[in-house]
């Protein structure tokens, strides 16, 4: 059974940093892509960053490029999202998601099938 559990959210001031963690189980990164998505109040969910299955290529939304970094610790079955230079517009519930994607890149617009419960990130001015 695929499971994802996020942690690490919280409240910070603008310019601060947070690191989100996604503890995964039930699959390997060889055949599953993992991504971070977010949803702010009154807005649609948007893709933030993904790390592809297999070679571990990464992709980022334009709004977070240069500020956020996604990474995987395969030994711990954990995916991280390091968020630096946070802005108030980064405030959202952040979700970790996984997708079966052997041999292709499940990008930011892909329909990820497995989701965590989310963790709140609040950035104050």
């Amino acid at each position: 059974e695929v499971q994802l559990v996020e942690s690490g959210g919280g409240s910070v001031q603008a310019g601060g940093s947070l690191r989100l963690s996604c503890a995964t189980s039930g699959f390997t990164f060889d055949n599953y892509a993992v991504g971070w998505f977010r949803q702010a109040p009154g807005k649609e969910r948007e893709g933030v960053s993904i790390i592809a299955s297999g070679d571990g290529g990464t992709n980022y939304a334009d709004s977070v490029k240069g500020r956020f970094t996604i990474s995987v610790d395969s030994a711990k079955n954990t995916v991280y999202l390091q968020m630096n230079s946070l802005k108030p517009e980064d405030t959202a519930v952040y979700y970790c998601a996984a997708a079966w994607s052997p041999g292709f890149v499940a990008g930011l617009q892909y329909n990820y099938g497995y989701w965590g419960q989310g963790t709140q990130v609040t950035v104050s001015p």
Side-chain angles (χ1 to χ4, degrees), residues 23-112:
T24 73
S25 61
F27 66 94
T28 70
F29 300 115
D30 290 339
N31 292 312
Y32 279 77
V34 179
W36 286 98
F37 298 78
R38 67 186 181 187
Q39 188 165 20
K43 295 188 177 182
E44 293 188 353
R45 186 175 63 202
E46 63 171 341
V48 175
S49 180
I50 65 97
I51 189 160
S53 61
D55 66 2
T58 60
N59 195 12
Y60 297 91
D62 288 343
S63 58
V64 307
K65 281 181 182 177
R67 300 189 297 121
F68 290 12
T69 303
I70 191 170
S71 62
V72 168
D73 185 334
S74 297
K76 295 183 178 180
N77 293 320
T78 300
V79 180
Y80 301 99
L81 185 69
Q82 178 67 44
M83 306 186 295
N84 299 329
S85 302
L86 282 162
K87 304 176 181 180
E89 50 264 44
D90 294 319
T91 295
V93 178
Y94 283 71
Y95 298 90
C96 178
W100 167 255
S101 58
F104 65 93
V105 177
L108 294 172
Q109 306 300 324
Y110 189 77
N111 186 18
Y112 279 64

